[in-house]
Amino acid sequence: GAGVSQSPSNKVTEKGKDVELRCDPISGHTALYWYRQSLGQGLEFLIYFQGNSAPDKSGLPSDRFSAERTGGSVSTLTIQRTQQEDSAVYLCASSLRETQYFGPGTRLLVL
Amino acid sequence: DAKTTQPPSMDCAEGRAANLPCNHSTISGNEYVYWYRQIHSQGPQYIIHGLKNNETNEMASLIITEDRKSSTLILPHATLRDTAVYYCIVRPLGTSGSRLTFGEGTQLTVNP
């Protein structure tokens, strides 16, 4: 079956611009996670959605970052007024129970 | 989550079995052993997980020692495309919603 998909695969933007990253989870998965991974670094948790519950936003690094999940499926991560330190691979994962399945990521470069 | 220890790197000849060890001596009775891998420039890929019994799927086998303090991931016939960083993680049951944290992992290089 189809896995987690993310778009765009690559995004280059100028400092100060807003960007939107999209995640399509595996159909039927109730949980959705956003992580980011800087070059050579480990996973950094950003936000978690579970069904209709309030999201766990505890990993968002600043109020420039926000995410929503519409209809319990597709999610959008928005970064406002991007900074160079936002450059990273943004990874989305979904799960039905404990096992998380990752998408290919969006590589964001802020110039 | 219990800490895991893995060798930083391993080499394997193409077509041979790759055996990747992981120590998790502080594992609790309610914690699973999970393996993921990350091929360069790709998202992490789930491989396999187990609690106490050995597990096998289309990708790999997982051998967990009887005392559960260590495990081995086996790729029976390694190919060049198996070159990746392999992460061993232990996570409690019922952790839906908990964030994943990867350690340093093992860089497996499959050589032709």
Side-chain angles (χ1 to χ4, degrees):
Chain A
V4 178
S5 61
Q6 293 185 245
S7 61
S9 54
N10 292 280
K11 177 71 176 178
V12 180
T13 191
E14 293 179 348
K15 177 181 173 181
K17 295 287 180 67
D18 298 352
V19 295
E20 284 190 352
L21 312 180
R22 177 187 169 105
C23 172
D24 283 84
I26 293 173
S27 178
H29 280 193
T30 54
L32 186 147
Y33 309 75
W34 283 98
Y35 297 86
R36 73 177 175 183
Q37 190 172 34
S38 301
L39 188 63
Q41 301 299 309
L43 289 180
E44 177 186 1
F45 167 80
L46 298 177
I47 189 169
Y48 156 67
F49 295 90
Q50 173 65 59
N52 296 320
S53 303
D56 175 358
K57 304 179 183 180
S58 60
L60 295 178
S62 77
D63 58 8
R64 296 186 295 105
F65 288 72
S66 63
E68 62 178 21
R69 188 179 185 193
T70 54
S73 180
V74 172
S75 177
T76 303
L77 177 69
T78 301
I79 309 173
Q80 296 178 309
R81 305 180 302 282
T82 52
Q83 304 294 312
Q84 289 181 330
E85 59 264 29
D86 299 335
S87 296
V89 177
Y90 287 81
L91 292 161
C92 175
S94 71
S95 70
L96 183 59
R97 286 185 285 276
E98 288 89 358
T99 303
Q100 295 181 29
Y101 297 88
F102 285 82
T106 293
R107 191 174 303 276
L108 175 66
L109 178 61
V110 182
L111 301 177
Chain B
D1 294 352
K3 180 178 171 55
T4 63
T5 304
Q6 300 177 251
S9 64
M10 292 183 65
D11 284 87
C12 177
E14 188 178 18
R16 304 297 293 270
N19 299 289
L20 294 98
C22 180
N23 287 324
H24 31 80
S25 58
T26 60
I27 192 170
S28 300
N30 68 339
E31 290 182 314
Y32 281 103
V33 179
Y34 271 81
W35 284 83
Y36 281 81
R37 72 180 182 184
Q38 191 165 22
I39 296 169
H40 183 61
S41 298
Q42 297 185 22
Q45 180 185 22
Y46 164 76
I47 301 174
I48 199 167
H49 73 283
L51 185 62
K52 55 182 179 180
N53 298 320
N54 298 338
E55 301 288 344
T56 295
N57 62 20
E58 65 278 4
M59 289 184 67
S61 294
L62 174 60
I63 307 299
I64 303 173
T65 57
E66 192 169 341
D67 63 6
R68 302 208 324 120
K69 293 183 184 299
S70 66
S71 60
T72 301
L73 179 74
I74 300 172
L75 309 178
H77 305 287
T79 70
L80 299 179
R81 289 181 296 179
D82 292 322
T83 292
V85 180
Y86 287 76
Y87 298 100
C88 169
I89 310 159
V90 291
R91 305 183 73 226
L93 295 175
T95 53
S96 177
S98 74
R99 58 207 68 179
L100 278 180
T101 303
F102 290 163
E104 298 298 317
T106 296
Q107 170 66 60
L108 174 69
T109 302
V110 181
N111 300 304

